[in-house]
Amino acid sequence: MPVQNPIGPVDSAKVPRFAGFATFARLPRIDQVERADVAVVGVPFDAGVSYRPGARFGPAALREASRLLRPYHPELDISPFAETQVVDAGDIALNPFNIGEAIETLQGEAEALTADGTRLVTVGGDHTIALPLLRAAAKKHGPVALLHFDAHLDTWDTYFGEPYTHGTPFRRASEEGLLDTEALSHVGTRGPLYGKRDLEEDRRLGFGIVTSGDVLRRGVAETVDALRQRIGGRPLYISVDIDVLDPAHAPGTGTPEAGGMTSRELLEILRGLRDCNLIGADVVELAPAYDHAEITAIAASHVAYDLVSLLSLGKGE
Ligand SMILES: [Mn+2]
């Protein structure tokens, strides 16, 4: 059951949006409520990146950009902050010098945060963090369906011999049995690969691929239909690497690729998933040092808002 009489965001008629603490959407902190239905939590960690660093500053940038989010979502016809208790759970502090330890810590913190039924929208941080988040999700729900929005496959085996990086989380998750292999899909992939073998290995792990070009050719409605058929009523985890968007829509990220989706396409696809059984989500790879005029941070904050809204629609029942 959702929390009765949830505490909402700071009233923007009394305190202007550009004043006050930058919690996500100006919502209460987790220590200001008794229980939360949905929590937005930051993971400022980028020790797993292969190219441009800086996603450790993603959570702060997303919170700052989220000041302008308003409480009613017209497309989904929901006031997520009024119908469920949504909070900002702050940041999970990880060891930036030890990836193995960071992964263990994050899994434990995610398990603690979700123990009483709170569902998470986690803000990265680089994509390494998806592995411990999926471990925590699978421990609770069993193997989960996964929609992975990303320019890249992120199912590579190792980098410089290292198994835990931002390019390998979904290979590890598959190997560990965290994923329902009947219902896995990358969405928005594009750009050059190391070789054709990347695709063959990815397919062997059970992934389907909807490329960025597929979304263009089929359109949003057909894309959503195909994804929903694949997912059905399974517990669903959504992982959004903001580099799924074209650099025109998300320049502030570590490994940009030309030819990506628009923010409109991404948001429309997410809204098409309103009937799915979403159990958790993340938005990762926002690296504000490469951003301009908060283009990427604003897009990421809206993606987070839509994910929160989808979780609120589910109401945890
Ligand atoms: Mn990624």
Side-chain angles (χ1 to χ4, degrees), residues 285-304:
E285 300 283 353
L286 165 60
Y290 315 101
D291 209 1
H292 303 275
E294 291 188 293
I295 294 170
T296 319
I298 290 165
S301 73
H302 281 255
V303 169

Side-chain angles (χ1 to χ4, degrees), residues 123-187:
V123 178
D126 76 51
H127 225 151
T128 312
I129 68 171
L131 176 64
L133 294 169
L134 283 166
R135 282 181 185 166
K139 211 163 165 180
K140 205 174 173 75
H141 300 277
V144 294
L146 172 71
L147 283 184
H148 169 221
F149 293 85
D150 202 316
H152 313 96
L153 301 169
D154 290 3
T155 52
W156 284 288
D157 191 9
T158 58
Y159 284 85
F160 290 79
E162 295 296 329
Y164 301 111
T165 77
H166 81 151
T168 58
F170 302 111
R171 166 85 67 129
R172 296 289 92 78
S174 173
E175 289 169 349
E176 294 179 20
L178 311 177
L179 306 177
D180 182 335
T181 52
E182 299 292 302
L184 308 179
S185 201
H186 306 294
V187 186

Side-chain angles (χ1 to χ4, degrees), residues 19-265:
F21 293 106
T23 55
F24 177 76
R26 309 171 86 221
L27 284 159
R29 299 188 315 262
I30 196 164
D31 59 345
Q32 295 174 309
V33 303
E34 283 195 11
R35 201 181 73 78
D37 298 301
V38 180
V40 176
V41 63
V43 181
F45 175 84
D46 63 6
V49 300
S50 55
Y51 198 57
R52 296 170 174 174
R56 65 181 60 182
F57 299 108
L62 188 144
R63 285 191 180 97
E64 194 55 41
S66 75
R67 286 175 178 276
L68 193 52
L69 293 170
R70 283 173 286 266
Y72 175 63
H73 192 313
E75 285 87 357
L76 291 173
D77 187 24
I78 184 174
S79 298
F81 313 144
E83 295 179 35
T84 50
Q85 181 65 67
V86 188
V87 299
D88 189 323
D91 287 339
I92 297 173
L94 303 180
N95 185 340
F97 302 106
N98 186 327
I99 294 183
E101 185 192 312
I103 287 172
E104 298 296 322
T105 306
L106 177 50
Q107 182 185 345
E109 296 282 336
E111 285 174 13
L113 278 169
T114 55
D116 66 352
T118 303
R119 288 163 302 150
L120 300 181
V121 173
T122 309
V123 178
D126 76 51
H127 225 151
T128 312
I129 68 171
L131 176 64
L133 294 169
L134 283 166
R135 282 181 185 166
K139 211 163 165 180
K140 205 174 173 75
H141 300 277
V144 294
L146 172 71
L147 283 184
H148 169 221
F149 293 85
D150 202 316
H152 313 96
L153 301 169
D154 290 3
T155 52
W156 284 288
D157 191 9
T158 58
Y159 284 85
F160 290 79
E162 295 296 329
Y164 301 111
T165 77
H166 81 151
T168 58
F170 302 111
R171 166 85 67 129
R172 296 289 92 78
S174 173
E175 289 169 349
E176 294 179 20
L178 311 177
L179 306 177
D180 182 335
T181 52
E182 299 292 302
L184 308 179
S185 201
H186 306 294
V187 186
T189 49
R190 61 190 188 276
L193 299 170
Y194 296 99
K196 198 167 184 169
R197 219 181 86 184
D198 294 347
L199 293 170
E200 291 159 4
E201 291 185 11
D202 187 75
R203 202 174 305 123
R204 218 169 33 239
L205 296 171
F207 279 90
I209 297 181
V210 180
T211 67
S212 179
D214 290 336
V215 175
L216 173 70
R217 284 183 292 271
R218 295 175 192 165
V220 165
E222 200 181 308
T223 301
V224 165
D225 283 349
L227 295 175
R228 284 174 52 178
Q229 260 180 34
R230 206 168 157 86
I231 298 158
R234 297 172 167 91
L236 170 67
Y237 188 91
I238 295 180
S239 186
V240 180
D241 187 324
I242 205 64
D243 75 20
V244 72
L245 299 179
D246 190 87
H249 294 258
T253 193
T255 40
E257 308 280 350
M261 288 160 56
T262 65
S263 47
R264 181 174 57 206
E265 286 170 328

